[in-house]
Amino acid sequence: MEFYLNNKILGIVVFLFLTLFSCKNKDKAIEEPTKKIVEYDMYQPSEMAGFMNAMYAYNQQLKAQIVAGETPARLPLDLLKLHSAEMTDGKSRTENWQSFVNVFIESQEAIVDTLSNIELKERYNAAINNCLNCHKTECTGPIPKIKKLLIQ
Protein backbone atom coordinates (compact mmCIF):
# COMPACT_ATOMS: atom_id res chain seq x y z
CA MET A 1 0.00 0.00 0.00
CA GLU A 2 2.84 2.34 0.79
CA PHE A 3 4.31 1.65 -2.66
CA TYR A 4 0.96 2.44 -4.22
CA LEU A 5 0.72 5.81 -2.40
CA ASN A 6 4.29 6.78 -3.28
CA ASN A 7 3.61 6.04 -6.96
CA LYS A 8 0.35 7.95 -6.81
CA ILE A 9 2.07 10.97 -5.19
CA LEU A 10 4.93 10.72 -7.68
CA GLY A 11 2.42 10.61 -10.54
CA ILE A 12 0.63 13.70 -9.24
CA VAL A 13 3.92 15.58 -8.82
CA VAL A 14 5.01 14.65 -12.37
CA PHE A 15 1.60 15.65 -13.72
CA LEU A 16 1.72 19.03 -11.97
CA PHE A 17 5.32 19.57 -13.06
CA LEU A 18 4.48 18.88 -16.72
CA THR A 19 1.36 21.01 -16.53
CA LEU A 20 3.23 24.00 -15.12
CA PHE A 21 6.04 23.87 -17.64
CA SER A 22 3.76 23.31 -20.61
CA CYS A 23 1.75 26.39 -19.62
CA LYS A 24 4.88 28.52 -19.35
CA ASN A 25 5.93 27.59 -22.87
CA LYS A 26 2.53 28.58 -24.22
CA ASP A 27 2.73 31.95 -22.42
CA LYS A 28 6.15 32.64 -23.90
CA ALA A 29 4.87 31.98 -27.39
CA ILE A 30 2.08 34.46 -26.83
CA GLU A 31 4.32 37.10 -25.24
CA GLU A 32 7.05 37.04 -27.90
CA PRO A 33 5.53 37.85 -31.30
CA THR A 34 7.62 37.13 -34.33
CA LYS A 35 9.48 40.15 -35.63
CA LYS A 36 9.29 40.96 -39.32
CA ILE A 37 12.41 42.29 -40.95
CA VAL A 38 11.56 45.18 -43.22
CA GLU A 39 14.04 46.26 -45.86
CA TYR A 40 13.81 49.69 -47.43
CA ASP A 41 15.14 50.74 -50.78
CA MET A 42 16.80 54.08 -50.21
CA TYR A 43 16.27 56.57 -53.02
CA GLN A 44 19.52 57.29 -54.78
CA PRO A 45 19.18 60.38 -56.98
CA SER A 46 20.94 60.32 -60.32
CA GLU A 47 23.83 62.67 -60.96
CA MET A 48 21.49 64.89 -63.00
CA ALA A 49 18.86 65.00 -60.23
CA GLY A 50 21.54 65.96 -57.73
CA PHE A 51 22.81 68.69 -60.04
CA MET A 52 19.28 70.01 -60.58
CA ASN A 53 18.82 70.20 -56.79
CA ALA A 54 22.10 72.11 -56.52
CA MET A 55 20.92 74.54 -59.21
CA TYR A 56 17.65 75.02 -57.35
CA ALA A 57 19.51 75.84 -54.12
CA TYR A 58 21.83 78.20 -56.01
CA ASN A 59 18.87 80.01 -57.59
CA GLN A 60 17.23 80.35 -54.17
CA GLN A 61 20.39 82.12 -53.00
CA LEU A 62 20.40 84.31 -56.12
CA LYS A 63 16.78 85.28 -55.53
CA ALA A 64 17.54 86.26 -51.91
CA GLN A 65 20.53 88.32 -53.02
CA ILE A 66 18.60 90.11 -55.76
CA VAL A 67 15.63 90.84 -53.48
CA ALA A 68 18.10 92.23 -50.90
CA GLY A 69 19.50 94.58 -53.55
CA GLU A 70 22.79 92.72 -53.97
CA THR A 71 24.38 91.94 -57.32
CA PRO A 72 25.72 88.38 -57.70
CA ALA A 73 29.29 88.42 -58.96
CA ARG A 74 30.06 84.84 -59.92
CA LEU A 75 28.52 81.59 -61.05
CA PRO A 76 29.79 78.82 -58.73
CA LEU A 77 28.19 75.95 -60.64
CA ASP A 78 29.78 74.25 -63.63
CA LEU A 79 26.74 74.37 -65.90
CA LEU A 80 28.52 72.34 -68.56
CA LYS A 81 27.83 69.31 -66.33
CA LEU A 82 24.34 69.46 -67.77
CA HIS A 83 25.79 67.96 -70.94
CA SER A 84 27.48 65.02 -69.21
CA ALA A 85 25.69 64.26 -65.91
CA GLU A 86 24.15 60.80 -65.68
CA MET A 87 20.42 61.05 -66.30
CA THR A 88 17.72 59.46 -64.16
CA ASP A 89 16.86 55.91 -65.26
CA GLY A 90 14.52 55.97 -68.23
CA LYS A 91 15.42 59.53 -69.23
CA SER A 92 17.65 60.63 -72.06
CA ARG A 93 18.85 63.83 -73.66
CA THR A 94 16.38 64.56 -76.42
CA GLU A 95 16.86 67.17 -79.14
CA ASN A 96 14.31 69.31 -77.33
CA TRP A 97 16.29 69.02 -74.09
CA GLN A 98 19.54 69.89 -75.89
CA SER A 99 18.04 73.08 -77.27
CA PHE A 100 16.75 74.16 -73.86
CA VAL A 101 19.95 73.38 -71.98
CA ASN A 102 22.10 75.71 -74.09
CA VAL A 103 19.63 78.58 -73.71
CA PHE A 104 19.47 77.90 -69.97
CA ILE A 105 23.25 78.00 -69.58
CA GLU A 106 23.38 81.33 -71.43
CA SER A 107 20.58 82.79 -69.29
CA GLN A 108 22.27 81.69 -66.03
CA GLU A 109 25.55 83.25 -67.17
CA ALA A 110 23.67 86.46 -68.04
CA ILE A 111 22.58 86.84 -64.40
CA VAL A 112 26.17 87.44 -63.26
CA ASP A 113 27.05 89.56 -66.31
CA THR A 114 27.74 92.94 -64.73
CA LEU A 115 28.03 94.61 -68.14
CA SER A 116 24.47 93.76 -69.17
CA ASN A 117 22.03 96.59 -69.86
CA ILE A 118 19.07 94.40 -68.86
CA GLU A 119 17.76 94.77 -65.30
CA LEU A 120 19.05 92.05 -62.94
CA LYS A 121 15.57 90.93 -61.85
CA GLU A 122 14.56 90.54 -65.50
CA ARG A 123 17.69 88.47 -66.32
CA TYR A 124 17.09 86.26 -63.29
CA ASN A 125 13.40 85.68 -64.12
CA ALA A 126 14.37 84.88 -67.73
CA ALA A 127 16.68 82.13 -66.47
CA ILE A 128 13.95 80.70 -64.22
CA ASN A 129 11.44 80.86 -67.09
CA ASN A 130 13.92 78.84 -69.16
CA CYS A 131 13.85 76.21 -66.42
CA LEU A 132 10.05 76.20 -66.54
CA ASN A 133 9.92 75.98 -70.34
CA CYS A 134 12.20 72.95 -70.38
CA HIS A 135 10.37 71.24 -67.54
CA LYS A 136 7.05 71.69 -69.34
CA THR A 137 8.31 69.27 -71.98
CA GLU A 138 10.86 67.03 -70.25
CA CYS A 139 10.12 66.50 -66.54
CA THR A 140 7.00 68.19 -65.22
CA GLY A 141 7.28 67.22 -61.54
CA PRO A 142 9.28 70.17 -60.18
CA ILE A 143 7.30 72.93 -61.96
CA PRO A 144 5.46 74.18 -58.81
CA LYS A 145 8.75 74.30 -56.93
CA ILE A 146 10.52 76.17 -59.75
CA LYS A 147 7.70 78.73 -60.01
CA LYS A 148 8.48 79.75 -56.41
CA LEU A 149 11.91 80.93 -57.60
CA LEU A 150 10.43 83.72 -59.73
CA ILE A 151 10.76 87.25 -58.36
CA GLN A 152 7.40 88.99 -58.44
Side-chain angles (χ1 to χ4, degrees):
M1 173 115 175
E2 189 178 309
F3 178 75
Y4 175 74
L5 283 174
N6 284 339
N7 280 341
K8 194 172 184 179
I9 291 173
L10 183 63
I12 292 172
V13 169
V14 169
F15 174 75
L16 289 173
F17 182 78
L18 291 173
T19 304
L20 287 173
F21 279 104
S22 65
C23 289
K24 283 188 176 181
N25 287 340
K26 288 180 185 175
D27 289 342
K28 281 186 180 179
I30 292 170
E31 289 176 18
E32 297 176 19
T34 57
K35 295 180 181 178
K36 294 181 181 179
I37 297 173
V38 179
E39 290 186 34
Y40 295 100
D41 283 335
M42 294 300 291
Y43 170 70
Q44 295 294 324
S46 68
E47 186 180 7
M48 182 61 76
F51 191 70
M52 291 282 178
N53 285 327
M55 284 193 306
Y56 180 81
Y58 168 70
N59 280 297
Q60 279 184 312
Q61 291 174 347
L62 279 178
K63 178 180 179 179
Q65 284 180 319
I66 294 167
V67 169
E70 300 171 21
T71 302
R74 63 181 185 83
L75 182 64
L77 296 173
D78 180 9
L79 295 176
L80 294 179
K81 283 186 180 179
L82 289 169
H83 292 290
S84 61
E86 175 193 333
M87 301 288 276
T88 302
D89 290 341
K91 301 287 183 184
S92 62
R93 289 174 175 83
T94 63
E95 286 183 37
N96 194 36
W97 187 87
Q98 291 287 19
S99 66
F100 278 116
V101 75
N102 291 327
V103 171
F104 171 73
I105 290 171
E106 290 172 12
S107 65
Q108 283 280 230
E109 289 171 344
I111 295 171
V112 295
D113 181 5
T114 56
L115 301 176
S116 177
N117 294 331
I118 302 171
E119 181 187 344
L120 179 58
K121 175 183 166 184
E122 191 177 328
R123 293 188 314 239
Y124 171 82
N125 279 339
I128 301 306
N129 280 317
N130 283 327
C131 293
L132 288 168
N133 291 334
C134 182
H135 279 275
K136 287 177 184 175
T137 64
E138 296 298 321
C139 177
T140 58
I143 289 176
K145 186 176 174 181
I146 296 168
K147 283 183 177 180
K148 292 177 185 177
L149 290 174
L150 290 168
I151 299 174
Q152 303 302 324

